[in-house]
Every structure is written in structure tokens, then in C-alpha cells.
Amino acid sequence: MKTFGLKASLLLMAILFFTDFLNVEGQVCHPSGKIRGKKPPPGECNQGNDSDCCKEGKLYTTYKCSPTVSSHTKAYLTLNGFEKDEDGGAPSECDNQYHSDDTPVVALSTGWYSQGSRCLNNITITANGRSVVAMVVDECDSTMGCDSDHDYQPPCANNIVDASRAVWKALGVPHDQWGGLDITWTDA
């Protein structure tokens, strides 16, 4: 009788554990709103690295969250310039500095940036059969955009890792394929 009770208890605990695990992995981040695009003043939207400029009247989805971080968080890698006068716009939020594009640095979507809690910490990015460690230096704003503070670019999606050229090089992605790539990442 005690053996049956112990086995049943262990089975129940295992079911609860895996149900909780699946629940965490399955959490969904829903849009938090929309903003209406404004036409950038002439010469005010830097389209370096194939960055988009906001379009007058177009509605852009905003997010305050990002998918749950795990040991293999799925994301979309984009290309960003972190040097002065590049498409990244202002100095990085974490340290108010510009960074060399030859250094592996990234900006994370708002939810993953988590009000700066990952600032100056490293993450490991995996794709193309390789991994690279990069430092988080900025936020890829998912809550706002289409204004001078955001270089008249739309809000980021909620699953973006916006990376310097050094990250793309380290992942061995051919230069003519830079711009967008499915990846996984985790806190280093």
C-alpha cells in the first residue's frame, strides 16, 4: 500500500512538473498596441543596413513583452550599426557610448532587454552551426518608433536580436546574406 502511494505521488509530481514546464515554454507575448507611422523629414531616416523607414499612416504593432527566455530561445537576428552616424541612431542605452561594429554587441527587443537588466551582460547566439558570445549594449525598442528618437524607424518586433557586423562574421554567414536570420540565444 505504501509503495503504491509513493509511486502515485511521484507520478503526480512528475506530471505537475512537466505541465508547468510546457506552460512556461508555451507562454505567448501578445501585441500591446499600434502606432501610426509618420513620414520622416528629408534625410532623417538612416537606411544603412537595409533599415526600414516609417511610412505615413501605416499602423505598426507594438509589444511590451518578448517570448520566454530559455536555454534555446528562438529569435530573429537583424543587422544594426552601433557606430556614430549609423542606422542605430543614438549612443547605446546601457552605457551611453557608441560601439565598434567589429565588436560582437547586440540590442535586444524590449521584453528581453528587461528595463536594462541584461545591460553589459553576455548572451550566446547560435546559428549556422556556430555560436558567438555578444554583449548586450542596447534596446531594440518594441514599444515606440517612427520618431526622431528612433531614427524614424518602426518599432522592433518582439523577438529581435539586433547585432553588429562582428556577430554576423562570427556566425559565418556570407556577407550577401546578412540582414535576417533565424537563431537561438541564451544568457551566457
Side-chain angles (χ1 to χ4, degrees):
M1 184 74 147
K2 286 186 179 182
T3 305
F4 177 75
L6 179 60
K7 286 180 182 178
S9 295
L10 289 174
L11 179 63
L12 181 60
M13 284 182 12
I15 290 170
L16 289 173
F17 173 77
F18 287 113
T19 302
D20 186 52
F21 176 75
L22 291 173
N23 184 39
V24 169
E25 286 292 312
Q27 287 180 348
V28 176
C29 171
H30 296 286
S32 59
K34 294 202 179 275
I35 60 169
R36 188 169 302 281
K38 301 173 196 163
K39 184 177 179 184
E44 291 296 311
C45 180
N46 185 333
Q47 290 185 284
N49 297 320
D50 293 326
S51 293
D52 291 330
C53 294
C54 291
K55 302 211 179 345
E56 183 73 35
K58 182 177 178 180
L59 290 177
Y60 295 95
T61 302
T62 60
Y63 295 88
K64 293 180 183 174
C65 56
S66 291
T68 303
V69 175
S70 68
S71 61
H72 54 278
T73 307
K74 292 180 181 177
Y76 193 68
L77 190 72
T78 55
L79 179 61
N80 187 46
F82 290 86
E83 296 178 356
K84 188 170 176 58
D85 297 325
E86 291 207 17
D87 63 311
S92 297
E93 275 201 35
C94 292
D95 57 6
N96 201 36
Q97 301 290 315
Y98 291 102
H99 296 269
S100 169
D101 289 327
D102 295 323
T103 304
V105 293
V106 298
L108 297 178
S109 292
T110 296
W112 291 334
Y113 181 74
S114 188
Q115 299 176 329
S117 68
R118 287 192 168 84
C119 270
L120 307 180
N121 290 322
N122 290 330
I123 65 169
T124 301
I125 300 166
T126 304
N128 203 34
R130 297 184 183 185
S131 292
V132 60
V133 174
M135 181 184 290
V136 176
V137 297
D138 209 351
E139 173 184 18
C140 193
D141 199 337
S142 304
T143 65
M144 298 187 305
C146 299
D147 57 19
S148 60
D149 287 346
H150 298 89
D151 203 28
Y152 294 95
Q153 295 174 5
C156 285
N158 68 340
N159 65 336
I160 297 297
V161 175
D162 209 12
S164 65
R165 289 188 313 244
V167 171
W168 287 86
K169 286 179 187 175
L171 291 173
V173 179
H175 189 267
D176 64 343
Q177 295 176 20
W178 289 8
L181 180 69
D182 290 324
I183 62 162
T184 58
W185 73 273
T186 190
D187 292 304

